[in-house]
Amino acid sequence: MWFTATLTLLGIVRAAWVGRVQLIPALLSLNAGLLVLLGLLTLVFGRVYCSVLCPLGIFQDLIDWLSRRFRRKSNRYGHPLSGHLLRPLFLIIGIWGFVESIHWIPALLDPWSSYGRMVTQGLYPVWLWTKGLLVSFNGTFGTWFEREEFVVQSTLALAIAAALTVFLVLTSWIWGRTFCNTVCPVGWTLSWLSRLSLFRIAVDRSRCNGCGRCEARCKSSCIDAAHGKVDESRCVVCFDCAEACDRGAVGYRFRYSRCSAPSGSVVSADESRRHFLSVVATLLPLPLVGKAQEIIEEGWLEDGTYYRTEKLDADSEKRVKIYDRQGRLVTERYTPIMPPSTYANFRYLKLCTACQLCVVHCPTKILRPATTEYGPAGILVPTVNFTTGYCDPDCNRCAEVCPTGAIQHFSLARKQRDKMGVAVFNSRTCVAVTDDVECDACVRHCPRQAITTVVRGNRKVPKVSANRCTGCGACEFYCPALPKAIHIEGLLS
């Protein structure tokens, strides 16, 4: 799971299901079938979700494993960040941020989105550099990979991802799964269900000699070897303790059996893993029946064109300046542009967890984490920027990989009709006016033939048909003027 999730976040494969089986995306998309399945798995096996399905948890396990290879590490029950009091505090903060529409707070706490930002902002540049090196070293790799240049799309997103990576590496190196049992709202929620699980890790006091090997090996610091107890709320059922015990005192047992049961009733670590994985392999292909609710309002353009939208949030009513890599002003827009098939601003911001999957998989790289475009509440949520390309009319990758339904799935035929913005012409910066030259770049590159030229005075200037324009951004991208003489405004008003 961790390997597949990482390859998907790097854009190497498109295994969109790895995002959809995560708990927070399933909750936001109202995927009732998957939520019931994850709840049943936890009630039967314990917090196996955290050790098998969550890529951030597996990343912490990898750091813990490396730590044990390079130094003598001995975890102890109840370390300073074990999280008895901090866990409900972070859960309350996350719920408060969601209710108050401060969307970056739950996005920072969601383990799937946090791991997505770590990979897309940290590991993705390394992957692009590796691809370029392979293509330069051997031209044969050019048939497999395309050389891409990494551009820092958001300094804020990069800084947040770097800070989270440092925090996770340090805490995992010292204590193990600190994030899971201190910060993560998913882990805290599942911890309540795991207290009722039918199978659990338990210590047989009749066999235990109090050596403490299981406690030292436990990556969640949930085993109290001195008293022979296991904190089931923090246990992620990784079986490391069972492997460390050479007396068979620690095992995976049925909750209602006695700890002093004969050895035949104890399930070995390998057998337990095989049992759980077989269940997962059987149940995961079940249809994900939930669908995100669709909240749409009506709006009208000046020429009477109908489109689906919502009223502009007052916090977003400000002009956003966009600069190119040389620091030159490219364009200014009042309304940010959302990805295609998002429609309502409040719905998109509510459902998006800023995992950056759509950002990585966008072939023209027009999606990037927002900073001020949506206001303070929409930090890190993907927005559209046409400085590197335009929205391909024959592409729907962003909708294919979106795990929450914030970008609703759409067909290519539907994309030819739906709007994500409308082009606005500014004659004051058009080269046909300022330089007295003929230019029809926007006309030639418009895939919808929504732009024509009209004569004003003795010059030909563009005229936009809002009735045909879908806001793909081809005109803005190919416009040679700086600032752009034609740009796209989002449909938020």
Side-chain angles (χ1 to χ4, degrees):
M1 171 64 73
W2 171 80
F3 186 66
T4 305
T6 303
L7 293 181
T8 302
L9 289 165
L10 289 176
I12 300 175
V13 298
R14 259 187 284 171
W17 61 269
V18 298
R20 297 192 177 105
V21 299
Q22 305 302 317
L23 185 60
I24 295 296
L27 181 63
L28 291 176
S29 61
L30 301 181
N31 195 332
L34 184 58
L35 290 174
V36 171
L37 173 61
L38 294 178
L40 290 176
L41 287 176
T42 306
L43 286 173
V44 174
F45 299 104
R47 281 179 58 183
V48 288
Y49 170 92
C50 301
S51 58
V52 177
L53 295 179
C54 179
L56 190 66
I58 301 174
F59 172 79
Q60 293 175 84
D61 290 347
L62 177 62
I63 300 299
D64 180 76
W65 179 82
L66 292 174
S67 174
R68 295 180 186 278
R69 292 299 178 273
F70 288 96
R71 70 186 185 97
R72 291 181 60 86
K73 184 177 181 179
S74 180
N75 293 333
R76 285 291 177 258
Y77 178 77
H79 64 72
L81 294 181
S82 57
H84 288 291
L85 297 178
L86 293 177
R87 283 188 290 176
L89 175 62
F90 279 109
L91 180 65
I92 293 172
I93 292 174
I95 295 176
W96 174 79
F98 181 80
V99 172
E100 295 296 325
S101 297
I102 307 176
H103 308 288
W104 58 269
I105 293 179
L108 288 179
L109 299 179
D110 174 29
W112 163 250
S113 301
S114 297
Y115 185 70
R117 287 187 293 273
M118 288 169 52
V119 174
T120 56
Q121 299 295 323
L123 194 58
Y124 186 61
V126 178
W127 167 240
L128 293 183
W129 177 82
T130 303
K131 286 200 301 183
L133 187 64
L134 290 174
V135 173
S136 300
F137 178 74
N138 190 335
T140 305
F141 288 104
T143 60
W144 300 346
F145 305 126
E146 293 182 3
R147 184 191 296 272
E148 298 180 45
E149 184 179 358
F150 176 73
V151 179
V152 178
Q153 299 174 328
S154 171
T155 305
L156 178 61
L158 182 61
I160 291 175
L164 176 62
T165 303
V166 171
F167 170 78
L168 284 174
V169 170
L170 288 179
T171 55
S172 301
W173 187 273
I174 299 173
W175 294 302
R177 280 180 172 250
T178 303
F179 182 91
C180 293
N181 291 319
T182 305
V183 180
C184 180
V186 174
W188 194 84
T189 303
L190 294 178
S191 69
W192 284 95
L193 292 177
S194 66
R195 298 170 193 264
L196 306 174
S197 62
L198 295 180
F199 292 90
R200 58 174 181 157
I201 297 291
V203 179
D204 187 346
R205 297 297 302 275
S206 64
R207 299 181 181 182
C208 178
N209 63 356
C211 67
R213 290 182 183 178
C214 55
E215 180 177 340
R217 183 74 178 273
C218 179
K219 64 186 69 171
S220 297
S221 300
C222 65
I223 298 180
D224 184 1
H227 299 89
K229 296 180 180 180
V230 178
D231 185 349
E232 299 169 20
S233 68
R234 299 209 307 268
C235 177
V236 295
V237 198
C238 64
F239 303 101
D240 285 355
C241 53
E243 294 177 353
C245 182
D246 57 0
R247 297 176 61 87
V250 183
Y252 194 46
R253 296 180 172 88
F254 185 63
R255 173 177 293 275
Y256 301 104
S257 65
R258 297 179 180 178
C259 286
S260 57
S263 58
S265 65
V266 179
V267 183
S268 69
D270 290 337
E271 291 173 349
S272 301
R273 285 194 182 99
R274 286 195 295 269
H275 186 196
F276 170 71
L277 292 176
S278 64
V279 173
V280 172
T282 303
L283 296 179
L284 275 184
L286 291 175
L288 307 182
V289 297
K291 260 195 171 181
Q293 291 181 343
E294 201 168 315
I295 305 174
I296 299 173
E297 296 183 8
E298 296 179 348
W300 298 88
L301 297 174
E302 293 181 357
D303 66 347
T305 303
Y306 167 77
Y307 63 92
R308 288 164 290 186
T309 183
E310 63 143 333
K311 291 184 178 181
L312 177 63
D313 184 3
D315 293 337
S316 301
E317 288 183 345
K318 53 187 176 184
R319 203 164 185 82
V320 178
K321 295 184 178 181
I322 300 173
Y323 298 87
D324 62 11
R325 297 178 63 184
Q326 287 72 40
R328 298 172 299 181
L329 179 64
V330 175
T331 189
E332 296 177 290
R333 58 176 121 252
Y334 282 106
T335 54
I337 306 170
M338 299 183 297
S341 192
T342 47
Y343 305 125
N345 182 23
F346 70 91
R347 178 191 177 278
Y348 172 59
L349 295 180
K350 206 78 171 179
L351 293 182
C352 180
T353 63
C355 69
Q356 313 303 322
L357 258 182
C358 57
V359 175
V360 170
H361 284 270
C362 178
T364 54
K365 306 304 178 188
I366 62 172
L367 296 179
R368 58 191 58 196
T371 50
T372 61
E373 288 87 343
Y374 300 116
I379 295 174
L380 302 179
V381 175
T383 187
V384 178
N385 187 307
F386 296 119
T387 55
T388 59
Y390 63 96
C391 190
D392 187 350
D394 297 319
C395 174
N396 59 357
R397 289 190 187 179
C398 55
E400 288 180 350
V401 300
C402 181
T404 65
I407 305 177
Q408 299 180 39
H409 183 73
F410 57 89
S411 64
L412 296 180
R414 175 180 164 185
K415 189 176 183 180
Q416 307 296 326
R417 304 185 304 269
D418 284 358
K419 293 178 178 291
M420 56 188 291
V422 63
V424 177
F425 174 63
N426 181 8
S427 61
R428 290 175 296 178
T429 58
C430 180
V431 294
V433 177
T434 59
D435 299 343
D436 196 18
V437 297
E438 289 190 7
C439 177
D440 61 348
C442 55
V443 178
R444 288 185 288 107
H445 291 96
C446 179
R448 292 280 297 166
Q449 291 79 48
I451 305 176
T452 57
T453 56
V454 296
V455 178
R456 290 183 181 174
N458 59 348
R459 301 181 179 92
K460 289 183 178 181
V461 295
K463 179 182 178 181
V464 179
S465 172
N467 198 27
R468 296 182 62 87
C469 177
T470 59
C472 70
C475 55
E476 179 177 326
F477 175 66
Y478 286 106
C479 178
L482 285 177
K484 298 289 186 177
I486 190 167
H487 72 277
I488 307 299
E489 288 287 346
L491 295 180
L492 301 181
S493 58

